[in-house]
Amino acid sequence: MTALPDTIEEGRHEPMGALARDGGVNFAVFSQHAQRIDLCVFDGDGVRELRRYPLHGPHDGLWHGFLRGVGPGLVYGLRAHGPYQPEHGHRFNPHKLLLDPCAREIVGRFRWAPEHHGYEVGHPEGTRSLDKRDNAAQALKARVPPPPLPAVNHHPRVAPADLVLYEVHVRGFSMQLPGVPAELRGTYAGLAHPAAIAHFKRLGVTSLSLLPVQYHLDEAGLAARGAVNYWGYNTLGFFCPDPRFAQRPDDPSAVNDEFRAMVATLHDHGLEVLLDVVYNHTAEGSEAGPTISFRGLDHASWYRLVSGDHSRCENLTGCGNTVHTAHPRVSQFVLDSLRYWVQEMGVDGFRFDLAPVLGRTRHGFDPHAAFFTALKQDPVLNRAHLIAEPWDIGPDGYQVGRFPGRWLEWNDKFRDTARRYWIGRSNGMGVSRGEFARRFTASSDLFHHGQRRPSASVNFIVAHDGFTLMDLVSYSRKHNQANGEDNRDGRNDEPATGFGTEGPTAEPGLVALRQRVRRAMLTTLMLAQGTPMLCAGDEIGNTQGGNNNAYCQDNPTTWLDWAGADTDLAAFVGELAALRRAEPALRHDRWFQARSTGPDERSLSWFAPSGHEMQVNDWHDAQQQALACRINGEPPERVGHHALLLAFNPEALALPFTLPAPGPWTLLLDSSGDLSAAHRAAHPQGAGEVLRVPPQSVVVLRQLNP
């Protein structure tokens, strides 16, 4: 290591974090309330502190300095001086070495220890006490990265109407995937291995939505019992790929390189990469949590505090704290982080965990909040996909349909309605035909306002947090004992059924029933108006043994079981994706009209099995569940724009459906497989003829040109 200078020069106030430039390194850190911030330089192993330099400032809440004669590879931490007044929201403690929130590289391995807390754990005064032990030996530290890499520009740029999302865990997908070398399993490189890419292409998905891959910590309670946060929703390093998915986890530069290579390879095969990001809370937890970064730099600015009691964090996330994105500097931090992942790491978009937090002001959620406005006009981020999990646990936290502009949103009403439609008869949880029709056509009651399009509705039946598709037709209740919380965790009222038997079965009739229902659900998902999202493993019949909250299971419970894969089901999903691509009516990203009035519009009609158009009394007939919809074609001069007929039969018996005018109709798909290939090749059926739709199935027909 070169000799360190005696003093630190005044630096630039941007960019935030550490930047190697002009023969040295520039540092910029935000703290509105600190009285002094020290830059602490360590040896290359992060063990021995070599020098401390007081940063210059504050200038508009920013502290900065330029350290001449050093460069990439410099290991450093921060110490913030200021009042320790928890009652006023201030928790400064210069005895705690702090991680730079904007660190691009993080070195060390975090171990939970009492000295990470700013207060004396167990002291009678609780968090009002000051812990004077130094935590530097155990603290994570930042490392100055090489100069910024060239922007990744070869993005596939899939249009919203063409998106088929695939929610996937980097580690769980390839841990047991045949063809992937042992050393690549569970890694970024494993996700981009030819065996993985071949599966994605066979399925026909366009965009991988990765569960959190930013640097996270396992919660103290999990670590104490030897468990891990497998999902990773506990972020600390918002600019760093998680090293647990890398081949060389102890080399931050190698981790970054492997992540970029993964993205580039997936892009080369036309696959987008979206990240599940957690800007709603940090790994520091509640006011009783540790002081390892944000809290020590400026607790009162980084976190939302309880009105009238600033000694407590406002907990709108269920994770102890809530990031204060309404603060301009915090908002800047989030935007800088997002821009980094797009420009330098090459990702194509984001799914925002507990997204209402991003738009919360003093008056609650505001779709016109400053953060959304800044995001909308950002020249880099305005081309990225933006997907909201549109709820948090705070007051008025359920905000489905209220996100602005081009945002897409997870639609849990589609999830529960689709499930109840197909399994409701077996457990008394059914829904009306009207509710099913509304969700199948992109939930216009939620999203048809302003200039929003049907693709705003992200339709899903299964996500990471809940039963797998196999489990929701195999279990009527959760089985989460392995999580160590006495089965208290996870959703209690999740729509699911074992059809009279709890868990796996070898009884042929029940196996066939569960298969039919899964195929019907997948067909509903893939052909509904809106944006479909598959959960990885559902296409191969993956099970978690009835665990509907496997957040701490880094083991075969959550690793996809490729040895037991249902390859026929995976092929069927590929067939559904191909049908969606081939038929413009299934990707129509405008709201259906009662009558088409323009060249880009389509009309849609609903029919009872008897063949008559649904009337008011039909919609209110609770005894009838089957129905059909006709998506009408466009003018004949528009080649390929045929009318389609989709018939839905959730009943246990085959039902006769009278085909509506105009005809003739030819069979494209039967989710049950009962209608044979010979039937598909048979003479087309005309209007008024009867088609027997198999039980628990969806049948799709296309109108032939007259």
Side-chain angles (χ1 to χ4, degrees):
M1 185 180 208
T2 58
L4 294 170
D6 293 330
T7 59
I8 188 168
E9 303 171 26
E10 193 161 334
R12 297 175 183 170
H13 68 280
E14 50 75 33
M16 304 297 284
L19 174 68
R21 66 166 179 88
D22 304 328
V25 176
N26 192 86
F27 298 89
V29 181
F30 161 67
S31 179
Q32 186 173 326
H33 298 103
Q35 296 168 352
R36 189 179 95 202
I37 291 185
D38 292 336
L39 172 71
C40 305
V41 178
F42 287 78
D43 62 18
D45 296 324
V47 174
R48 186 164 58 94
E49 185 174 339
L50 304 177
R51 293 292 296 265
R52 292 190 189 184
Y53 301 94
L55 293 178
H56 297 266
H59 299 140
D60 194 21
L62 298 175
W63 301 78
H64 50 85
F66 180 74
L67 199 60
R68 191 173 296 279
V70 298
L74 185 79
V75 177
Y76 71 97
L78 304 166
R79 296 182 188 270
H81 301 255
Y84 188 82
Q85 299 171 339
E87 68 276 12
H88 297 300
H90 301 311
R91 297 178 179 271
F92 294 99
N93 187 338
H95 303 285
K96 307 305 171 185
L97 188 77
L98 307 173
L99 180 68
D100 184 351
C102 297
R104 265 65 166 177
E105 296 187 357
I106 297 175
V107 297
R109 292 201 174 186
F110 185 82
R111 298 289 185 270
W112 285 99
E115 51 266 41
H116 286 308
H117 291 75
Y119 65 95
E120 290 188 49
V121 177
H123 192 281
E125 293 187 1
T127 60
R128 294 191 299 275
S129 62
L130 181 69
D131 189 303
K132 295 184 178 181
R133 290 175 294 181
D134 196 291
N135 73 327
Q138 296 85 20
L140 294 172
K141 301 166 184 74
R143 191 169 80 178
V144 177
L149 295 166
V152 177
N153 293 317
H154 62 294
H155 298 260
R157 301 295 295 271
V158 178
D162 298 329
L163 282 173
V164 179
L165 298 169
Y166 187 73
E167 190 191 35
V168 60
H169 191 283
V170 169
R171 180 169 169 82
F173 181 83
S174 67
M175 278 300 292
Q176 302 184 102
L177 180 60
V180 176
E183 65 273 15
L184 299 186
R185 292 188 174 187
T187 67
Y188 299 119
L191 193 69
H193 187 272
I197 291 173
H199 182 73
F200 303 144
K201 301 302 282 186
R202 282 193 298 267
L203 283 184
V205 298
T206 65
S207 310
L208 309 186
S209 182
L210 309 187
L211 265 69
V213 296
Q214 293 175 331
Y215 194 109
H216 91 291
L217 297 183
D218 298 323
E219 292 85 346
L222 289 174
R225 54 188 173 92
V228 299
N229 186 329
Y230 173 71
W231 289 346
Y233 289 93
N234 201 43
T235 308
L236 180 66
F238 291 87
F239 290 79
C240 298
D242 202 319
R244 65 183 171 135
F245 302 135
Q247 299 174 75
R248 296 164 57 193
D250 294 327
D251 182 348
S253 295
V255 175
N256 290 344
D257 291 343
E258 185 176 343
F259 184 92
R260 280 173 56 93
M262 173 196 72
V263 173
T265 300
L266 292 170
H267 281 178
D268 288 343
H269 290 85
L271 294 162
E272 292 186 316
V273 178
L274 284 67
L275 304 187
D276 196 333
V277 288
V278 189
Y279 294 104
N280 58 79
H281 75 280
T282 79
E284 289 185 310
S286 73
E287 63 278 357
T291 296
I292 49 183
S293 183
F294 309 89
R295 174 163 290 134
L297 286 168
D298 195 345
H299 179 79
S301 294
W302 281 102
Y303 297 122
R304 293 176 63 102
L305 306 180
V306 173
S307 178
D309 185 2
H310 285 182
S311 69
R312 295 167 52 215
C313 291
E314 192 172 14
N315 186 12
L316 305 177
T317 64
C319 301
N321 66 56
T322 305
V323 174
H324 190 200
T325 49
H327 190 292
R329 291 297 183 192
V330 179
S331 179
Q332 176 189 353
F333 166 82
V334 175
L335 293 168
D336 285 350
S337 173
L338 294 171
R339 203 177 297 112
Y340 170 80
W341 287 97
V342 171
Q343 285 186 301
E344 294 196 35
M345 307 306 277
V347 307
D348 304 283
F350 306 93
R351 179 266 190 187
F352 293 85
D353 183 63
L354 303 182
V357 165
L358 301 172
R360 282 193 176 270
T361 68
R362 287 178 295 175
H363 308 292
F365 177 78
D366 182 359
H368 306 293
F371 175 81
F372 293 138
T373 301
L375 189 61
K376 179 180 179 179
Q377 59 79 43
D378 189 281
V380 172
L381 299 175
N382 64 13
R383 66 172 183 262
H385 297 298
L386 306 174
I387 302 174
E389 181 187 37
W391 48 80
D392 61 29
I393 70 166
D396 297 321
Y398 189 77
Q399 296 293 335
V400 177
R402 293 201 63 211
F403 277 72
R406 64 185 186 86
W407 280 74
L408 313 184
E409 303 177 38
W410 276 25
N411 186 351
D412 63 327
K413 291 187 181 296
F414 179 96
R415 176 197 65 197
D416 288 355
T417 296
R419 290 187 183 192
R420 288 176 173 139
Y421 182 77
W422 290 107
I423 68 174
R425 289 291 199 192
S426 69
N427 59 10
M429 301 175 68
V431 295
S432 69
R433 290 188 285 191
E435 176 67 4
F436 177 78
R438 183 180 297 114
R439 301 305 157 216
F440 189 78
T441 51
S443 298
S444 61
D445 58 324
L446 299 173
F447 297 104
H448 191 184
H449 58 83
Q451 298 177 350
R452 304 196 73 183
R453 293 198 170 193
S455 55
S457 174
V458 175
N459 302 326
F460 66 104
I461 294 175
V462 169
H464 65 276
D465 52 348
F467 285 125
T468 68
L469 185 62
M470 174 64 88
D471 287 354
L472 77 86
V473 297
S474 302
Y475 297 89
S476 60
R477 59 186 182 276
K478 64 185 184 181
H479 296 266
N480 298 356
Q481 289 83 359
N483 296 348
E485 301 181 38
D486 296 324
N487 209 35
R488 294 188 303 271
D489 62 306
R491 183 179 175 186
N492 292 315
D493 62 343
E494 189 169 358
T497 182
F499 294 101
T501 297
E502 192 74 1
T505 181
E507 197 280 308
L510 186 52
V511 170
L513 170 61
R514 291 175 174 179
Q515 176 81 323
R516 297 171 75 91
V517 172
R518 283 188 293 142
R519 290 168 67 100
M521 287 185 183
L522 287 168
T523 305
T524 301
L525 170 65
M526 293 297 290
L527 304 188
Q529 190 180 28
T531 301
M533 183 183 79
L534 284 164
C535 185
D538 284 344
E539 75 277 12
I540 61 171
N542 199 59
T543 175
Q544 294 179 168
N547 191 328
N548 76 346
N549 190 40
Y551 73 100
C552 58
Q553 301 296 324
D554 186 5
N555 53 54
T557 299
T558 51
W559 302 344
L560 300 195
D561 179 16
W562 295 100
D566 184 342
T567 55
D568 289 341
L569 186 62
F572 177 68
V573 172
E575 184 180 352
L576 291 171
L579 179 60
R580 183 181 181 90
R581 287 193 304 272
E583 295 293 338
L586 299 175
R587 292 177 288 105
H588 186 60
D589 202 21
R590 293 180 181 270
W591 297 101
F592 289 119
Q593 307 295 319
R595 169 180 290 179
S596 297
T597 58
D600 295 320
E601 294 182 348
R602 285 179 180 266
S603 60
L604 179 144
S605 305
W606 291 96
F607 295 88
S610 61
H612 70 267
E613 199 160 347
M614 293 280 288
Q615 304 298 313
V616 173
N617 61 307
D618 295 310
W619 291 115
H620 291 284
D621 185 351
Q623 301 305 310
Q624 302 296 322
Q625 292 289 294
L627 78 170
C629 76
R630 182 184 67 203
I631 305 174
N632 297 318
E634 296 186 19
E637 60 270 16
R638 302 203 60 178
V639 176
H641 288 238
H642 309 277
L644 295 181
L645 183 69
L646 292 86
F648 304 90
N649 179 17
E651 306 292 353
L653 298 174
L655 290 179
F657 275 69
T658 300
L659 301 179
W665 300 96
T666 186
L667 182 69
L668 292 182
L669 180 135
D670 163 30
S671 68
S672 72
D674 288 358
L675 298 180
S676 66
H679 192 291
R680 294 192 186 202
H683 184 74
Q685 294 182 271
E689 294 187 38
V690 173
L691 174 69
R692 291 192 65 81
V693 175
Q696 291 110 3
S697 70
V698 182
V699 169
V700 184
L701 303 100
R702 179 201 288 143
Q703 181 193 12
L704 296 180
N705 288 330

